[in-house]
Amino acid sequence: MRIHPALAIGLLSLLLLCASAPATAGDLLLATTTSTDNTGLLDDLAPMFEKETGITLKWIAVGTGKALELGRNCDADALLVHAPKAEKRYVENGYGVDRTRVMYNDFILIGPPEDPAGMKGMKVTQALSRIEAEGADFASRGDNSGTHKNERKLWQATGDGAPDGDQWYMETGQGMMSTIRVAAEKDAYTMADRGTFIKYADNFDGDPPLKVLVEGDKILFNQYSAMAINPEHCDNVDHESAQAFLDWITSEHVQNAIGEY
């Protein structure tokens, strides 16, 4: 069962009103990221998971920060997110257990093919510095997601910090696909995960209005990990189903399916 990002606010309100278990028997509620959802990967994996385990996978797609909050508030059974430093603190603080690396892709800088800042092919920190120097429009998710956290880390690596408040720096407060669309409308640059960009480009028969301009830098590596919510912190979570999910998604045949996807 797929829960569309547009329904996230209503679902969050419903979850906060419910003190009972986050999912019925035979269900697993996964809090994950919009970038994961945008790729369509979970739509392919969910039927496999149910067929092989008898457990129905339900998920809510939000930013990593909100996904961590859902787990902390006992409103999810497991997480699939991509902000390693925040995840490690989360486990250290007793909210999550059995954190396991699941998959990875990479981040890319995309922008209009005319490349008004002239940053194509540069190292990512050089490219961001050029965007800032030129005052070229840049769309940021601005939503405390894993992608947003990584983007801010990259701005910090330029030595100048994140350009908060600058007119050319737009914070959309939206998910990855929506932010890419905003960037396209504004002829702006943005940072995206490759999986979501591929999905976006498919809508234009492989010739989207934004192009990949910077890629391949080691600092753009994007690790996704899964973890169960600590049952000692949340006695209402379905820890057995969460553990089954972790074992399943890291199994060899599922890892092969993810790689082929």
Side-chain angles (χ1 to χ4, degrees), residues 123-124 215-222:
K123 292 289 187 180
V124 64
E215 60 183 331
D217 205 329
K218 288 183 178 180
I219 200 171
L220 294 173
F221 181 78
N222 182 25

Side-chain angles (χ1 to χ4, degrees), residues 171-233:
E171 294 189 294
T172 68
Q174 301 182 54
M176 192 70 263
M177 188 67 78
S178 296
T179 298
I180 292 174
R181 293 185 179 121
V182 169
E185 291 171 1
K186 302 290 186 181
D187 283 330
Y189 297 96
T190 192
M191 188 181 86
D193 68 282
R194 191 181 295 274
T196 304
F197 179 73
I198 290 171
K199 191 78 170 181
Y200 169 77
D202 282 346
N203 296 323
F204 299 90
D205 297 323
D207 187 26
L210 299 181
K211 306 297 182 183
V212 178
L213 300 175
V214 173
E215 60 183 331
D217 205 329
K218 288 183 178 180
I219 200 171
L220 294 173
F221 181 78
N222 182 25
Q223 178 71 57
Y224 287 81
S225 296
M227 73 181 87
I229 300 305
N230 189 348
E232 294 184 3
H233 174 68

Side-chain angles (χ1 to χ4, degrees), residues 157-169:
T158 68
D160 297 323
D164 299 322
D166 288 355
Q167 187 173 2
W168 54 270
Y169 184 74

Side-chain angles (χ1 to χ4, degrees), residues 24 47 78 83 92 99-100 109 111 129 131 136 143 165 173 195 204 215 219-220 236 252-253:
T24 59
E92 290 169 359
R99 177 178 174 267
T100 306
L109 289 185
S129 293
I131 289 171
D143 62 351
F204 299 90
E215 60 183 331
I219 200 171
L220 294 173
N236 66 317
E252 183 176 357
H253 75 288

Side-chain angles (χ1 to χ4, degrees), residues 121-165:
M122 291 182 172
K123 292 289 187 180
V124 64
T125 53
Q126 294 174 322
L128 292 176
S129 293
R130 179 66 66 85
I131 289 171
E132 184 171 19
E134 296 295 325
D137 288 338
F138 185 96
S140 168
R141 285 181 58 167
D143 62 351
N144 199 35
S145 62
T147 301
H148 182 223
K149 290 176 185 290
N150 276 278
E151 180 221 311
R152 292 188 68 84
K153 180 178 71 174
L154 294 175
W155 284 112
Q156 293 293 335
T158 68
D160 297 323
D164 299 322

Side-chain angles (χ1 to χ4, degrees), residues 17-30:
L17 288 172
C18 295
S20 58
T24 59
D27 290 348
L28 172 71
L29 182 56
L30 178 72

Side-chain angles (χ1 to χ4, degrees), residues 81-93:
V81 289
H82 63 137
K85 287 186 178 180
E87 295 162 28
K88 290 174 183 177
R89 288 195 301 269
Y90 196 78
V91 172
E92 290 169 359
N93 290 332

